[in-house]
């Protein structure tokens, strides 16, 4: 059960969009539509921003969107704002009542 | 709104047992949520440790299963983590989290546990 692969970093200017990939396998991301995304600011606990690949919890801006194709899920942050600067982690159900997280991506707002 | 608060020793000796408590407020541990532990080594990513349901049913990360025990006390609205035979590699911020249907809606602030003699 290996960690899902994310790029270490991504960046964009305010108002631009940034997309983060999350690559797994046919045993996790590729077979289950249970991919979730979490935002983590320094020194804080993670916050759920996307679940079931593309659903947003109440209160999460629609600037955050998710999708999936094959073994790769993606998170897009549109209209980047300063407060979006954080670490982002994907997670997927991996079968057998277990879960796996991604390696994490640090998003910088230039 | 469910709130979670981790507590426990911040320092554990190598080969010892790490023990943490998560206090649940704003909701009942007897609800339909699963109650989980997740850890994050300094400067690194998140790792799912395991989870428990109010019935006592548990699921663990296969890589940690031999060393992990998660339990709960409904009367105190708390759940617990025990990790045995710890080494320096177990040094991490430990989070308790909760949710249903393959996601975690609520997270604690985390507690740093250092394994050192």
């Amino acid at each position: 059960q290996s960690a899902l692969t994310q790029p270490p970093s991504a960046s964009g200017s305010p108002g631009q969009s940034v997309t983060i990939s999350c690559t797994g396998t046919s045993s996790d991301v590729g077979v289950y539509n249970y991919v979730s995304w979490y935002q983590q600011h320094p020194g804080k606990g993670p916050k759920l921003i996307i679940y079931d690949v593309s659903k947003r919890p109440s209160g999460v801006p629609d600037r955050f969107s998710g999708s999936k194709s094959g073994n790769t899920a993606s998170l897009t942050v549109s209209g980047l704002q300063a407060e979006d600067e954080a670490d982002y982690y994907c997670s997927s159900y991996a079968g057998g009542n277990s879960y796996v997280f991604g390696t994490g991506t640090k998003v910088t707002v230039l | 709104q469910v709130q979670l608060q981790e507590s426990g020793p911040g320092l554990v000796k190598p080969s010892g047992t790490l023990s943490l408590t998560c206090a649940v407020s704003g909701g009942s541990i007897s609800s339909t949520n699963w109650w989980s532990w997740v850890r994050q080594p300094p400067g690194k990513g998140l790792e799912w440790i395991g989870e428990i349901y109010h019935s006592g049913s548990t699921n663990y990360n296969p890589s940690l299963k031999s060393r992990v025990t998660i339990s709960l006390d409904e009367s105190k609205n708390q759940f617990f983590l025990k990790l045995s035979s710890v080494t320096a590699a177990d040094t991490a911020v430990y989070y308790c989290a909760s949710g249903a249907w393959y996601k975690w809606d609520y997270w604690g602030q985390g507690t740093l546990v250092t394994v050192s003699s």
Side-chain angles (χ1 to χ4, degrees), chain A residues 40-81:
Chain A
Q40 186 180 34
H41 286 108
K44 302 292 187 181
K47 173 189 174 183
L48 176 69
I49 55 172
I50 294 288
Y51 67 99
D52 291 356
V53 175
S54 60
K55 297 177 182 177
R56 275 179 291 106
S58 173
V60 173
D62 59 6
R63 303 185 293 102
F64 293 91
S65 62
S67 63
K68 190 185 88 167
S69 178
N71 295 339
T72 299
S74 298
L75 172 72
T76 297
V77 186
S78 306
L80 266 176
Q81 298 183 4

Side-chain angles (χ1 to χ4, degrees), chain A residues 34 38 40 44 46 89 97, chain B residues 40 48 59 95 102 104 107:
Chain A
Y34 298 130
Y38 301 85
Q40 186 180 34
K44 302 292 187 181
Y89 292 91
N97 295 316
Chain B
Q40 184 172 35
W48 178 72
N59 297 306
Y95 295 99
Y102 311 101
W104 298 279
W107 292 75

